[in-house]
Amino acid sequence: MPVDRIRWDDLPLAARDAVEQYTGPVLRTKSADAGANSGIAATVHTTAATLFVKGVPTDHPQARTQQREVTINPYLPPSCPRLLWHVQAAGWDLVGYEHLVGRHADYAPGSPDLPLVARAVVELQNTPCPDIELKRAEDRWSGYTGPAGVEQLVGDTLLHTDLAPHNMLVTDRAHLIDWAWPTRGAAWIDPAVLILRLTEAGHTPEGADAWAREQFPSWAAASHASVAAFSEANARTWDEIARNDPQDWKKRVGRLAHDWVTYWRTRAS
């Protein structure tokens, strides 16, 4: 459920005061243009530092999502922005992150960002999955596949699961941001998620598949049956997303997910 975006100055005074206990006096702010999951999302400048602050009302469903981001942050790869503080005040749940000056990744064929994206995903795949409560892939997609298919998703790799280009911030390298859905599961699931976004950016299924096999050992080693089970479940997931919120881009991703299923069914195992 989207959150109505407000400016920093529209936050209750008590909430701003609580933030300034961590940051010192706020000199100026700039609201972020992108995103729909935070009520406040702003670059905040103080006398000592620049940081990124986002937050939601404590009674909004997205507050649970933000709590997942807070919980997973200490275990993320070094390229991910560090959580600096977390505070609840005046009906708001607010977090402060290390500020990165960058841009969203370009996933188009031939983009110079693609090697950086691959490096970020490989770094994540090599990061130990923490022994904390996380959603499990077999549970997340259980409603979209049969019992045999669900078993194919089991694993012990830390997954991001939403590798859209707006969740890759590029500086001199790529940084994974927006950890709303950290999940424990089979390592090849994140490459599968990324492949769909590559096709959205103009790659053919064949080209995206070949690129992923070169970049990610987990994808090269994934069984045909396992990928088939997830791909079909993911296509059903996007069908539901598009039905519930029929924006053009969501319907397009849903169609691409089915195109990928068609490709995978005919691909030699």
Side-chain angles (χ1 to χ4, degrees), residues 195-216:
I195 281 172
L196 181 57
R197 294 299 191 164
L198 293 176
T199 64
E200 183 187 18
H203 295 253
T204 64
E206 296 88 343
D209 178 23
W211 180 83
R213 278 186 278 121
E214 292 176 355
Q215 304 298 326
F216 310 120

Side-chain angles (χ1 to χ4, degrees), residues 109-121:
S111 167
D113 292 350
L114 291 176
L116 305 181
V117 170
R119 177 184 168 191
V121 175

Side-chain angles (χ1 to χ4, degrees), residues 19-264:
V19 168
E20 288 186 339
Q21 295 299 312
Y22 292 92
T23 66
V26 171
L27 302 179
R28 65 185 187 280
T29 66
K30 181 179 180 182
S31 292
D33 295 326
N37 294 325
S38 296
I40 179 78
T43 300
V44 172
H45 300 269
T46 73
T47 55
T50 300
L51 63 156
F52 182 71
V53 176
K54 69 178 184 176
V56 292
T58 54
D59 60 356
H60 193 281
Q62 289 292 347
R64 295 193 298 272
T65 301
Q66 185 157 280
Q67 182 57 55
R68 287 196 289 267
E69 293 189 68
V70 169
T71 301
I72 197 62
N73 188 266
Y75 305 98
L76 298 181
S79 64
C80 298
R82 295 296 98 187
L83 177 71
L84 304 176
W85 46 261
H86 174 217
V87 64
Q88 292 184 336
W92 279 81
D93 187 277
L94 299 157
V95 289
Y97 284 99
E98 172 190 9
H99 181 257
L100 298 176
V101 179
R103 56 176 174 77
H104 298 310
D106 177 5
Y107 283 7
S111 167
D113 292 350
L114 291 176
L116 305 181
V117 170
R119 177 184 168 191
V121 175
V122 168
E123 181 185 55
L124 173 59
Q125 301 241 295
N126 291 331
T127 298
C129 190
D131 186 18
I132 60 175
E133 184 177 350
L134 288 172
K135 287 185 175 292
R136 294 181 176 273
E138 61 270 28
D139 296 330
R140 277 190 60 186
W141 283 280
S142 63
Y144 305 94
T145 186
V150 165
E151 292 171 2
Q152 307 275 4
L153 311 184
V154 175
D156 198 33
T157 296
L158 176 60
L159 306 172
H160 184 281
T161 73
D162 188 12
L163 296 172
H166 60 261
N167 288 335
M168 282 278 188
L169 194 65
V170 174
T171 57
D172 58 341
R173 61 163 304 167
H175 307 262
L176 273 167
I177 61 174
D178 286 349
W179 281 82
W181 293 98
T183 299
R184 186 191 310 273
W188 52 264
I189 291 175
D190 263 349
V193 169
L194 177 60
I195 281 172
L196 181 57
R197 294 299 191 164
L198 293 176
T199 64
E200 183 187 18
H203 295 253
T204 64
E206 296 88 343
D209 178 23
W211 180 83
R213 278 186 278 121
E214 292 176 355
Q215 304 298 326
F216 310 120
S218 63
W219 182 251
S223 78
H224 193 274
S226 296
V227 173
F230 175 77
S231 299
E232 291 170 9
N234 200 34
R236 295 186 190 106
T237 301
W238 278 101
D239 287 343
E240 181 177 273
I241 290 170
R243 282 196 305 270
N244 293 338
D245 185 14
Q247 296 183 54
D248 287 343
W249 76 267
K250 293 181 179 180
K251 291 187 286 186
R252 180 170 181 266
V253 174
R255 291 192 297 270
L256 291 169
H258 283 281
D259 290 346
W260 168 261
V261 169
T262 299
Y263 160 74
W264 193 256

